[in-house]
Amino acid sequence: MIAIDVEARLGAFDLKADVTAPSAGVTALFGRSGAGKSSLVGCVMGLVRPKRGRIVVGERTLFSSEDGIDVPVSQRGLGTVFQDGRLFPHMNVRNNLLYGARSRGPEAKRRAVSAFDETVELLGLEPLLERRPLRLSGGERQRVAIGRALLSAPDLLIMDEPLAALDAGRRRSILPYLSRLRETLSIPILYVSHQMDEIIRLADTLVLMDHGKVAATGAVEDLTARLDLEPLLGRYEAGAVLSATVKAHDTAYALSRLAFAGGDLLVPAVDLPVGSSIRVRVRARDVTVALSAPEDASWTNVIRTTIEDARIDSRPDVELALRLPDGARLRARVTRLTWDRLSLARGTEVYALVKTVAIDRTALGRVEAGWQAE
């Protein structure tokens, strides 16, 4: 278990955060710029000294104001990956990879040498070993930085917005490698991001941060369905995350059918075998509702559901939380005019209409091991 309960002051910014994360899998810190994500991981790394609190990773206490413990940065046993990679320009990739183990002592170096080939294969670094960083693309540099962090034999891997400096194409190319890390590693990962597609693909636990505090912690599927958290998740990207299984493929129309708690969902074809588990993000702006199932319409995803909650304010639209069987949730967005014209209310049974073409590659995230998206 990872337990972080700290208070710190950085200039005019106050951080007061309490986070408990599992000892395996990916815990994602999500929030707007300035929410306190990097400040919190700075406390864990030892770069920021809390004025009060306690930080425990596994069985090791890294910081305790009460007990007077403040383990030096170099002895915390953490692997870190930042936005810019921070590779040594005078070393080739091979030596950059091995550098992290040197600072951990002879035993760490021995383990790094034994794990070198496996790490190189995991991250696809074999063709790059003799190159220097200036001859690498941004995505390649980040893969090397991740490999260097892994070869330091860390107790915890911290990734502070590792893809933020990359363009969209390079971000897409490196996400499959991060997915593979999640599936392969037995160590916990603390992942900082403000990109929801990364969270959908990678995270097991989501921590929402706002103004230096933890606003909510829980499963990705649970938090994304809550209307009260929309200001933190972002209005444009607001939506629900569903856990689904690939049910069938329609090669004639390049579509795949996914089964989830509320029924079936037709999406653009996914390159996954039938029976595979997958996460699907359905944005609220891509869902509307009807009182009866449309017959002569272009909608292919028509799902029976119930309005569980509604957010009504001065804006021209209404945000709906829709309850599906077995506790699953959808989000929808309709105009206030539609809300009144259809006499909608909490408890009204409706049909959710979901655009098939709106569920693109960035809306899909892998749950089960073995998938490579690119």
Side-chain angles (χ1 to χ4, degrees):
M1 188 67 71
I2 302 167
I4 308 166
D5 182 7
V6 295
E7 293 181 22
R9 185 168 181 84
L10 297 90
F13 181 78
D14 286 319
L15 175 71
K16 186 177 182 180
D18 188 350
V19 175
T20 301
S23 56
V26 177
T27 297
L29 303 181
F30 184 85
R32 294 191 181 96
S33 296
K37 308 181 298 295
S38 293
S39 297
L40 182 58
V41 296
C43 291
V44 179
M45 288 185 281
L47 304 177
V48 175
R49 192 178 194 280
K51 65 179 181 182
R52 184 212 64 81
R54 186 177 182 84
I55 302 170
V56 179
V57 176
E59 298 180 357
R60 296 185 67 213
T61 299
L62 304 184
F63 178 84
S64 172
S65 56
E66 183 177 345
D67 299 325
I69 299 172
D70 188 8
V71 177
V73 175
S74 61
Q75 298 176 25
R76 293 201 171 198
L78 308 175
T80 54
V81 181
F82 299 96
Q83 293 183 22
D84 56 4
R86 304 189 183 185
L87 303 179
F88 295 106
H90 63 288
M91 294 182 182
N92 62 17
V93 167
R94 182 187 301 275
N95 289 329
N96 264 286
L97 288 170
L98 292 171
Y99 181 84
R102 295 172 186 170
S103 61
R104 295 288 304 276
E107 178 60 24
K109 185 175 181 180
R110 184 191 65 77
R111 290 199 303 270
V113 170
S114 65
F116 184 86
D117 290 342
E118 181 182 356
T119 302
V120 167
E121 181 181 0
L122 181 67
L123 294 169
L125 299 176
E126 177 65 35
L128 311 178
L129 290 177
E130 304 310 319
R131 295 190 200 173
R132 293 194 176 185
L134 290 177
R135 294 180 56 209
L136 303 176
S137 70
E140 290 169 341
R141 285 194 293 271
Q142 286 303 88
R143 280 155 51 196
V144 175
I146 294 166
R148 182 176 63 182
L150 292 178
L151 289 172
S152 68
D155 300 319
L156 169 68
L157 180 61
I158 295 177
M159 308 185 81
D160 190 359
E161 303 209 48
L163 309 185
L166 304 180
D167 59 34
R170 289 194 173 97
R171 284 180 66 250
R172 284 195 299 269
S173 71
I174 200 172
L175 270 171
Y177 293 101
L178 297 183
S179 295
R180 216 179 295 170
L181 291 182
R182 172 192 175 276
E183 298 159 4
T184 305
L185 297 181
S186 58
I187 62 172
I189 300 174
L190 203 57
Y191 192 93
V192 176
S193 179
H194 61 270
Q195 296 290 337
M196 185 53 70
D197 61 328
E198 296 175 23
I199 302 299
I200 300 304
R201 179 73 70 89
L202 303 172
D204 300 290
T205 302
L206 177 57
V207 179
L208 290 179
M209 296 197 66
D210 184 40
H211 293 96
K213 297 180 175 59
V214 174
T217 302
V220 176
E221 292 86 344
D222 294 337
L223 297 194
T224 53
R226 286 174 50 180
L227 296 184
D228 61 310
L229 297 176
E230 180 195 292
L232 304 182
L233 292 166
R235 177 170 169 74
Y236 184 78
E237 293 294 341
V241 176
L242 304 174
S243 295
T245 303
V246 178
K247 184 176 180 179
H249 298 294
D250 185 340
T251 55
Y253 292 103
L255 298 172
S256 295
R257 186 172 297 277
L258 310 180
F260 70 107
D264 287 358
L265 196 64
L266 207 60
V267 304
V270 296
D271 186 17
L272 291 170
V274 171
S276 300
S277 297
I278 192 171
R279 273 183 183 156
V280 185
R281 176 173 49 145
V282 182
R283 298 175 179 87
R285 58 187 168 90
D286 296 322
V287 183
T288 190
V289 299
L291 293 178
S292 59
E295 295 181 0
D296 297 323
S298 64
W299 301 94
T300 52
N301 291 313
V302 181
I303 304 164
R304 192 164 185 170
T305 182
T306 302
I307 298 177
E308 182 177 60
D309 196 7
R311 180 172 178 166
I312 308 172
D313 51 30
S314 60
R315 293 181 299 196
D317 49 41
V318 178
E319 292 282 331
L320 305 179
L322 306 176
R323 184 177 70 250
L324 303 170
D326 298 328
R329 300 287 190 276
L330 271 177
R331 298 271 297 275
R333 186 173 296 159
V334 300
T335 64
R336 279 195 289 148
L337 174 62
T338 297
W339 174 267
D340 290 337
R341 182 171 58 84
L342 298 182
S343 299
L344 299 177
R346 294 171 179 84
T348 302
E349 290 191 358
V350 295
Y351 289 87
L353 312 179
V354 184
K355 296 179 182 177
T356 296
V357 295
I359 305 174
D360 58 17
R361 181 185 294 270
T362 62
L364 301 175
R366 189 71 166 122
V367 173
E368 185 180 281
W371 179 50
Q372 297 180 35
E374 304 295 337

